[in-house]
Amino acid sequence: MPRLTKLPWIPSEQQWLDVLSVFRDEPIRNRVMLALAYDAALRREELCSLRTDDLDPAHRMLRVRAETTKNRLERVVPYSAATGVLFSRYLAHRSTISRARGPLFLSESRRNHAEPLTLWTWSKVVRRVALAAGVPRFSTHTTRHLCLTDLARMGWELHAIATFAGHRNTDSTMTYIHLSGRDLAEKLNQGMEQIHSWRVDMLARLGSDAPVGGRS
């Protein structure tokens, strides 16, 4: 029997905006977690396992330790300036909960105050936000799908995306990238425009270099 592979779901632009609208009212911890999950294409365990010394605010770089990854591959990836601002605000807030180095994201509940945030707690946060935004298909893995697809839309090479994602081979990366027919058509049009421009340029050069006299 042939193996059927379905494309991963990613939100439309409006659905993404709806999710962000709800997240704006979330505590700073949850907002920076969503930002990092998207910016660095982090899996749920990679995100929740981050430690205070895994991020380099000066260079806006994030280290994903091998022991937290699915395939035991360490990687170092950048994050955006906007996320850097959120991260700085979260660090100031975190210091009111605990000044100890260690797990970056801490529980603020009375029951587990200052304990490391669990995977299940983050899943519950995302599920609650997704339902409130009216986008029930949005999950903790959606941001990773969306980030990798956006990198493909921006023209990143497949091998670069695979490295960013921490994949051992590009076959895994391809299952994460969701390019619509419109995306592919735009890429084709851009490619054809470049080819056309190159051919016209070469013809122009031939014309300028051609001898004045005709062939006998």
Side-chain angles (χ1 to χ4, degrees), residues 8 54 92 112 115 136 142 149 196:
D54 286 335
N112 301 305
E115 292 294 316
T142 300
T149 297
H196 179 72

Side-chain angles (χ1 to χ4, degrees), residues 89-103:
R89 290 178 59 190
Y90 172 67
L91 286 183
H93 173 71
R94 184 187 181 281
S95 68
T96 66
I97 303 170
S98 172
R99 292 183 177 272
R101 290 174 175 266

